[in-house]
Amino acid sequence: APDEVTLVAVLSACGRIGDLTVGKMVHLYIRDNIYNPDVSLINSLLDMYAKCGQVDTAISLFSEMCNRNVVSWNVIIGGLAMYGRALDTITFFRSMVTDSSPDGITFVALLSACSHGGLLETGQHYFESMRHVYNVKHEVEHYACMVDLLGRRGHLEKAVCLIKEMPMKPDVVVWGALL
């Protein structure tokens, strides 16, 4: 019988290739055979459903979780961001900060959601609050999200200025976001 580590690996593979059918079969197996599954296994289920486009199913499972960690929050926030649900992403982020500390991965998803949702002021607010409020260091991925956000809103000069002010060398993702 597969153990939880094996099931995590299978769910991860299902999420990567978008195999919802096998993912659902694994979920049924877990429900019927694993008493009190570990948070990592539930996180893998959330991730598989989110990556397979079943974000509402992931949210439903998330709301049933007794123990959440930063990965749980990041999976949900990332899933919402991936499917363009910017306002839901922000709502979940606000709930997260009362329960867990956001990390760099959280902010990549949050800033990406703001970019795709056209939420310039909100994105700028969270970019600034990363350092000052949440003590999360800006990485190149966060700058790429901001360049993308500024560019999508027509602020190309500000995007170029931000690239020039970056404390690290811009990578291909940053330049791609500008283009």
Side-chain angles (χ1 to χ4, degrees):
D3 62 8
E4 290 194 29
V5 174
T6 303
L7 295 169
V8 166
V10 171
L11 287 168
S12 176
C14 289
R16 283 194 182 120
I17 64 171
D19 193 337
L20 183 60
T21 303
V22 173
K24 284 182 174 182
M25 289 179 3
V26 172
H27 186 187
L28 290 173
Y29 178 86
I30 292 167
R31 191 189 67 204
D32 294 341
N33 297 287
I34 308 288
Y35 174 74
N36 196 22
D38 184 78
V39 68
S40 298
L41 185 54
I42 302 300
N43 287 343
S44 295
L45 273 171
L46 299 176
D47 188 54
M48 182 276 300
Y49 278 115
K51 286 180 177 171
C52 289
Q54 303 292 309
V55 182
D56 289 326
T57 302
I59 290 169
S60 178
L61 286 170
F62 178 84
S63 39
E64 295 171 6
M65 290 177 76
C66 297
N67 299 316
R68 298 178 185 130
N69 60 19
V70 68
V71 175
S72 313
W73 286 102
N74 284 345
V75 168
I76 288 298
I77 289 170
L80 289 164
M82 185 185 332
Y83 287 95
R85 293 173 58 175
L87 297 178
D88 290 335
T89 303
I90 293 166
T91 300
F92 272 82
F93 175 79
R94 289 178 179 158
S95 296
M96 176 191 192
V97 298
T98 65
D99 182 61
S100 186
S101 296
D103 61 12
I105 296 168
T106 314
F107 281 101
V108 168
L110 182 62
L111 294 173
S112 175
C114 290
S115 178
H116 292 284
L119 305 174
L120 177 62
E121 293 80 16
T122 305
Q124 289 173 319
H125 164 76
Y126 284 122
F127 184 75
E128 288 304 315
S129 67
M130 279 178 65
R131 236 185 7 229
H132 304 300
V133 176
Y134 302 102
N135 201 28
V136 175
K137 181 182 172 195
H138 291 134
E139 299 292 342
V140 69
E141 297 88 359
H142 304 113
Y143 282 99
C145 289
M146 287 306 298
V147 168
D148 185 59
L149 175 55
L150 289 164
R152 285 176 187 267
R153 299 296 293 172
H155 299 281
L156 296 177
E157 287 145 14
K158 288 181 181 179
V160 170
C161 287
L162 182 62
I163 292 171
K164 289 178 181 176
E165 295 170 2
M166 288 174 53
M168 71 283 291
K169 185 176 178 179
D171 65 4
V172 67
V173 177
V174 173
W175 291 118
L178 181 64
L179 290 174

